Amino acid sequence: RKEVEQDPGPFNVPEGATVAFNCTYSNSASQSFFWYRQDCRKEPKLLMSVYSSGNEDGRFTAQLNRASQYISLLIRDSKLSDSATYLCVVNRGTGGSYIPTFGRGTSLIVHP
Amino acid sequence: GAVVSQHPSRVICKSGTSVKIECRSLDFQATTMFWYRQFPKQSLMLMATSNEGSKATYEQGVEKDKFLINHASLTLSTLTVTSAHPEDSSFYICSARVGASNQPQHFGDGTRLSIL
């Protein structure tokens, strides 16, 4: 089983739709969690950190379920500009340092 | 804040050449920097973790003599691909972390390396 797993998609949705992505992780010692977005042939950019109590940033809501070892990202009122690959990142603690592990990413296509 | 600069953005060179990529944190001190490689339509693969003033920690399967990493200061890490071959052609991206170890990392623009 991979350390961090995501449904690769693509998710093809109309503008204005609500879309949700899930990400599961296998290491119960994982410490911190993030969502990044990556546009084609570009570097990843931090979208948001994921906190235990869940957090929201505008149209984006992130949640963490430690018991089931998954995190989620909800995008409301999708815009064309939301089209990108969304990467789940999990920091696992090892020997005093925290090593990031990326999921393969979920591709989102928002169409008019 | 948290700007990471990576240079060069594009390299095209002949097989056998060694290529050096720089990663700089411009407005913060980065105790830890990471080097990734990404092939087309593939996920980011962590190559190594670079800590200032100490040897890099390489992921399994990454040849440390092939990919030389130096992290001489809190704002600069370099990756040298030695004697590059066509199979080394890829998108190389660095990232740097601010403050505490469980903080998010911030990425450079990436270097697209093509070996002919």
Side-chain angles (χ1 to χ4, degrees):
Chain A
R1 182 184 174 187
K2 291 182 181 178
E3 280 196 60
V4 179
E5 293 203 60
Q6 294 182 251
D7 181 343
F11 284 59
N12 202 321
V13 303
E15 268 187 293
T18 295
V19 61
F21 306 136
N22 282 337
C23 168
T24 58
Y25 59 95
S26 60
N27 190 332
S28 59
S30 297
Q31 301 288 335
S32 48
F33 310 88
F34 309 94
W35 283 102
Y36 284 75
R37 68 170 279 168
Q38 185 176 25
D39 294 285
C40 188
R41 297 173 69 83
K42 296 285 190 180
E43 78 281 12
K45 291 188 187 298
L46 179 66
L47 183 63
M48 58 197 304
S49 302
V50 186
Y51 302 121
S52 296
S53 55
N55 48 299
E56 188 175 305
D57 182 1
R59 298 181 294 109
F60 301 86
T61 301
Q63 292 196 311
L64 166 64
N65 185 320
R66 284 192 184 271
S68 301
Q69 295 183 197
Y70 78 83
I71 66 174
S72 64
L73 176 68
L74 183 77
I75 305 176
R76 291 181 297 278
D77 189 24
S78 299
K79 311 291 185 191
L80 295 177
S81 57
D82 293 333
S83 298
T85 297
Y86 290 82
L87 303 169
C88 166
V89 181
V90 174
N91 278 3
R92 56 181 168 86
T94 174
S97 62
Y98 293 86
I99 305 301
T101 304
F102 280 76
R104 287 194 60 183
T106 299
S107 178
L108 173 64
I109 301 169
V110 182
H111 59 81
Chain B
V3 178
V4 177
S5 172
Q6 189 172 337
H7 177 81
S9 58
R10 187 82 165 94
V11 179
I12 303 172
C13 55
K14 294 180 180 178
S15 185
T17 308
S18 290
V19 178
K20 187 176 182 179
I21 304 170
E22 290 188 351
C23 181
R24 292 179 185 274
S25 55
L26 298 186
D27 53 358
F28 65 98
Q29 292 187 327
T31 311
T32 305
M33 289 186 173
F34 301 94
W35 287 97
Y36 294 86
R37 181 167 54 182
Q38 187 175 35
F39 293 105
K41 299 188 186 299
Q42 300 285 318
S43 60
L44 279 165
M45 296 300 298
L46 179 65
M47 298 175 67
T49 302
S50 170
N51 293 299
E52 185 266 338
S54 63
K55 290 183 179 180
T57 302
Y58 289 82
E59 294 298 301
Q60 192 172 9
V62 178
E63 299 174 56
K64 62 181 181 181
D65 294 329
K66 171 78 172 176
F67 300 99
L68 301 178
I69 292 172
N70 183 280
H71 193 157
S73 76
L74 285 171
T75 59
L76 173 64
S77 177
T78 61
L79 167 69
T80 301
V81 184
T82 60
S83 187
H85 293 283
E87 59 267 27
D88 298 322
S89 299
S90 187
F91 188 46
Y92 291 85
I93 317 176
C94 73
S95 70
R97 199 154 53 185
V98 178
S101 294
N102 62 352
Q103 293 298 304
Q105 54 193 304
H106 299 274
F107 286 84
D109 294 343
T111 297
R112 204 159 295 280
L113 176 63
S114 298
I115 307 297
L116 306 177

